[in-house]
Amino acid sequence: MARMSSPTSGVKVRMYRQGHGDCFLLAFAGREGRRKRTVYVLIDCGLKPGSEVNDQKIEAVINDIHDATNGHVDIVIATHEHQDHVNGFAKKKNRKHLFDKITIGQCWLAWTEDGSDELANALRERFRDTLVTLAYAQEKVESRNKDSDLAARLSDLLSTETGDDGRPVKPGEEGRGILEAFRMEKKANPFLTTSELAASAVRGITNKNAIKYLRNRSEESTVYLSPDSPPASIPLVKDLRIYTLGPPRNEALLVDLDPVGDEEFHLGLSGRNRNLGGDTRGFAQAVATDTATNAEFQPFSKRHGIPQDDILTRTLPNASAGAQSSQQARLDYLRQVYGGTGPDENDEATDWRRIDEEWLGTAEGLALRLNNEVNNTSLVLAFQLPKTGKVLLFTGDAQRGSWIGWSDLEWTDDENRTTTVRDLLARCVLYKVGHHGSHNATLNGTSADDHANLGWMARGEFADDFVAMIPANTPWALGKSKPWMHPLPQIEEALTKKTRGRVFRSDRDAIEQPDEAVMCTAEWQAFKKLCKETKLYFEYSVEDR
C-alpha cells in the first residue's frame, strides 16, 4: 500500500469505509526545519460488529493507516467513548493490540475525559451508576426469556457503551463482565458505596481501555480540549487553527438531546426520546434486588421487605416456632395473589398482578438515553486552513445541546480580531455528518436562525465547495429489529441539495454525477480530480489556495 501524501497546500481527508463507524485520516503539508513532511491526524477508529461494508475488517483499516503514515500518526483524536468510534484502538490479535505497530505523537480528548475536572468526574460517576443498573436489567431480561426483541435491542445499546476487543460476545452478555466485577468487589469490600463499586466494575470495559491505551501510547502528554480554550494548533503545520466547539461545559446542554420544532428534519420523530431517563435511582431500586444489603439502593428499610424468592418458593426466613404459622400464612397469601397461580390448580393465573415484567421495558429507554448523552460529550472540532480560511467540521456524534452550546461561541486573537462560530460555519467546505446522519445530530434551519444549523454552513464564496461525508451502512441499519434511520432521508436530501450531489457515503462505491443543471460536466470533472474512490476508503483533497 502506498504512502498517503498531502496536497501542496491544504489537507487530504481519507474516510475509511469499514461500515457503521467513524475513522478519518487527515494529511497536512508540514515542514520540519527545511524539510517538508506530511503531518497525519487520525480521528476515531471504530466499527459496529456486523455492519461491515464490502466485508471489510477493522484490521484492514489499521494496516492501511500504518502503511499510509509510515507507521507514525502525529495526533490521534478520540471524539467519545462509543464502540463504533474507538474499538479499533482496543482490537487484539494474538493478544497484541493491532495499533502496537503504529507510534502516536499526541492524544487529543474532550475535557469530559480529564480526571482533574470536577464536572467531568461527576458525569463519569452518573455514567457508571447507570451502566451497572442497565447490566442488572439485561440480566433480568435474559433470565425471563420472554421478549427476545427487547433483549436484542438492549444488547445492541449496551454493546455501544461497553465495546469489544475482537473476541466474540454472546448477545445478552454485554453486561456480564460488569456485574461479575461489581459482585466480586462488593464481596471483597462490603462497606464501599454503590458508586465506588460501580467505578471499579466499569473501569475495565473495552471502551475505557481503548482510551487508556491511547493515553499510554502517546509520546507526549494527553491534550484535553474545551470550548473555553484558545484555538489549538498542530506541530509543524504553520498557521492552522483548530477551534473546539463541543462538548459544552454546561450540564443542562449535555443532557439536551433532541431537536425542537423546526430545528428537526421531520420524519415524525420529534421528541421521541424525551424524558426517557429521568431519575435512574428508582429504576435501580427495582432492578438490583441482589443489592438488598446495600441500603443505598433501597427506598425502605430492609425489615419492611420480603425477598421475592422467599415468597415464590415458600422458604421461610429465620423465625421462632411461635411465629412460624403467622409468617407462613402471610407468604401463602402473597404467593396466592402475586405468585402466578392460586393454591388450586383450576384457579386463574394471577401473574398479571405483578409488574416484574413490565418495568423492565423501560430499560431500553434508559439505555438509549445513556447512548445519546455519551454522544453529546463528543469532541467537536473546526479545522481552519491558513490561506483561504476554509473550515472542515468534525462533529463526532454531537446532538442538539452541543449545537445550541456552540452557537454563541467566539474567540479573540492577539490582534483583537474576533472569530465566531457563525463565521467558521459560513466557511465550512467539508462536513463530517454527525451520528451517521441521525435525526438528532444535524440541526435544521436557515442562516438567519439564532441556533447553529446546516443553513449556517458554506455560504457566499464557499458555497460552491461544500462536500459532506457520511459514515453509514444503511441496509444494515434498516435491517435491525428496531431500524435505525441512518442517514435520515430528509437530512441526506438536504445535504445532497446543498452540496449539489457531492455526498460521500461509505456504503456506496462511488458518487454519481448530478444532472447538468445542478453541476456542469466541467465542474464535476474538476471535483473528481480531487477524489479517490477505493473499496477501503474515499479520499478528498481540500485545496488552500
Side-chain angles (χ1 to χ4, degrees):
M1 299 180 188
R3 181 90 172 264
M4 181 183 179
S5 62
S6 60
T8 304
S9 181
V11 58
K12 187 177 289 183
V13 180
R14 180 174 290 186
M15 178 177 81
Y16 286 99
R17 304 179 56 207
Q18 70 274 22
H20 184 95
D22 280 22
C23 187
F24 291 83
L25 183 63
L26 282 59
F28 293 91
R31 184 176 291 275
E32 193 168 21
R34 296 184 178 182
R35 182 174 64 91
K36 293 181 179 179
R37 180 167 91 72
T38 301
V39 176
Y40 298 102
V41 175
L42 180 66
I43 304 176
D44 289 336
C45 185
L47 171 69
K48 194 72 175 172
S51 71
E52 291 83 357
V53 171
N54 296 326
D55 297 322
Q56 297 290 2
K57 303 298 181 185
I58 199 72
E59 290 83 354
V61 171
I62 296 172
N63 288 336
D64 186 80
I65 293 170
H66 172 271
D67 294 345
T69 63
N70 198 30
H72 180 76
V73 177
D74 295 273
I75 297 174
V76 174
I77 300 169
T79 60
H80 63 296
E81 289 185 5
H82 267 171
Q83 178 185 43
D84 53 330
H85 291 257
V86 300
N87 70 350
F89 301 121
K91 289 280 184 176
K92 296 178 181 178
K93 189 174 184 179
N94 298 327
R95 304 188 72 178
K96 290 185 177 181
H97 281 77
L98 296 174
F99 258 87
D100 281 351
K101 59 186 177 183
I102 300 173
T103 56
I104 299 170
Q106 296 181 6
C107 172
W108 287 11
L109 302 172
W111 64 267
T112 48
E113 298 294 335
D114 186 355
S116 65
D117 190 288
E118 188 174 332
L119 177 56
N121 289 335
L123 294 172
R124 274 193 293 275
E125 182 175 347
R126 185 170 69 186
F127 169 84
R128 293 189 298 253
D129 291 350
T130 304
L131 194 57
V132 170
T133 295
L134 287 169
Y136 274 110
Q138 182 185 48
E139 182 180 67
K140 291 204 169 187
V141 169
E142 291 293 330
S143 68
R144 279 151 177 75
N145 197 28
K146 288 189 176 183
D147 190 341
S148 57
D149 287 341
L150 171 60
R153 294 195 298 269
L154 190 55
S155 290
D156 205 13
L157 292 166
L158 262 176
S159 67
T160 299
E161 301 300 337
T162 58
D164 71 286
D165 61 2
R167 294 172 296 184
V169 177
K170 182 180 178 181
E173 296 184 348
E174 289 78 9
R176 184 179 62 178
I178 294 173
L179 289 188
E180 289 177 350
F182 186 95
R183 287 162 176 157
M184 287 178 63
E185 189 69 29
K186 181 181 174 183
K187 185 176 181 179
N189 300 284
F191 298 107
L192 291 181
T193 67
T194 301
S195 292
E196 289 170 333
L197 293 169
S200 178
V202 173
R203 188 178 297 124
I205 64 175
T206 300
N207 288 351
K208 292 195 175 296
N209 283 339
I211 299 298
K212 181 180 179 182
Y213 172 80
L214 291 178
R215 286 193 184 110
N216 293 340
R217 286 293 316 287
S218 58
E219 297 167 351
E220 302 178 33
S221 298
T222 301
V223 176
Y224 298 101
L225 299 173
S226 174
D228 54 11
S229 304
S233 59
I234 296 177
L236 310 182
V237 182
K238 185 178 179 181
D239 296 330
L240 177 73
R241 289 173 175 263
I242 301 102
Y243 294 86
T244 303
L245 276 57
R249 292 195 62 86
N250 181 313
E251 190 169 0
L253 291 175
L254 286 170
V255 297
D256 187 355
L257 306 175
D258 282 318
V260 177
D262 290 338
E263 297 170 357
E264 183 176 16
F265 290 88
H266 290 284
L267 189 64
L269 300 173
S270 182
R272 65 177 181 176
N273 297 332
R274 292 194 178 280
N275 300 319
L276 284 176
D279 183 359
T280 61
R281 289 182 60 86
F283 182 82
Q285 291 156 6
V287 172
T289 56
D290 66 348
T291 64
T293 57
N294 191 329
E296 192 171 357
F297 264 102
Q298 301 302 319
F300 306 111
S301 171
K302 183 182 177 183
R303 65 190 177 87
H304 295 301
I306 302 175
Q308 177 176 288
D309 286 346
D310 286 356
I311 297 171
L312 299 183
T313 61
R314 297 191 184 190
T315 300
L316 289 173
N318 293 331
S320 65
Q324 287 276 337
S325 61
S326 175
Q327 182 76 309
Q328 184 67 61
R330 292 174 188 167
L331 292 178
D332 287 344
Y333 170 77
L334 290 172
R335 183 174 186 275
Q336 177 180 340
V337 175
Y338 299 108
T341 60
D344 189 325
E345 292 184 1
N346 295 322
D347 284 356
E348 184 178 352
T350 58
D351 58 353
W352 61 270
R353 296 177 184 269
R354 302 204 313 270
I355 61 169
D356 53 347
E357 304 296 337
E358 284 72 11
W359 59 261
L360 284 175
T362 64
E364 182 184 4
L366 183 62
L368 182 59
R369 184 168 184 91
L370 183 64
N371 279 184
N372 290 334
E373 288 183 3
V374 173
N375 284 339
N376 232 10
T377 65
S378 290
L379 181 59
V380 180
L381 299 175
F383 292 77
Q384 177 183 278
L385 301 183
K387 296 180 180 178
T388 60
K390 291 178 179 177
V391 169
L392 292 74
L393 180 64
F394 289 84
T395 60
D397 288 347
Q399 297 189 193
R400 195 244 181 198
S402 190
W403 284 72
I404 299 302
W406 74 58
S407 299
D408 296 326
L409 291 178
E410 61 180 39
W411 298 263
T412 302
D413 63 19
D414 294 338
E415 298 180 11
N416 209 32
R417 294 174 299 191
T418 299
T419 299
T420 68
V421 169
R422 190 182 285 272
D423 296 332
L424 292 172
L425 295 194
R427 293 183 268 112
C428 179
V429 297
L430 187 147
Y431 171 40
K432 196 296 292 188
V433 181
H435 199 208
H436 321 286
S438 173
H439 83 285
N440 52 16
T442 300
L443 294 194
N444 195 5
T446 69
S447 60
D449 288 325
D450 291 334
H451 67 275
N453 64 80
L454 185 59
W456 281 23
M457 296 185 195
R459 303 201 311 275
E461 62 181 293
F462 300 92
D464 290 340
D465 296 327
F466 192 51
V467 169
M469 291 183 163
I470 311 176
N473 185 347
T474 297
W476 171 83
L478 292 178
K480 302 179 71 61
S481 62
K482 199 170 188 177
W484 295 352
M485 290 288 186
H486 291 170
L488 187 76
Q490 284 78 353
I491 290 178
E492 185 173 18
E493 181 181 351
L495 289 167
T496 300
K497 182 178 180 180
K498 192 171 182 69
T499 62
R500 294 183 298 151
R502 293 171 297 189
V503 176
F504 295 91
R505 209 175 87 180
S506 52
D507 61 350
R508 292 177 179 165
D509 291 335
I511 302 177
E512 295 183 4
Q513 182 175 350
D515 293 338
E516 187 79 13
V518 175
M519 181 179 292
C520 69
T521 299
E523 189 177 4
W524 179 258
Q525 290 175 346
F527 163 70
K528 292 294 283 187
K529 287 182 180 179
L530 300 173
C531 303
K532 183 179 181 181
E533 297 164 325
T534 76
K535 183 178 179 180
L536 185 61
Y537 59 79
F538 290 138
E539 200 170 84
Y540 179 68
S541 295
V542 179
E543 297 182 325
D544 188 35
R545 60 184 181 183

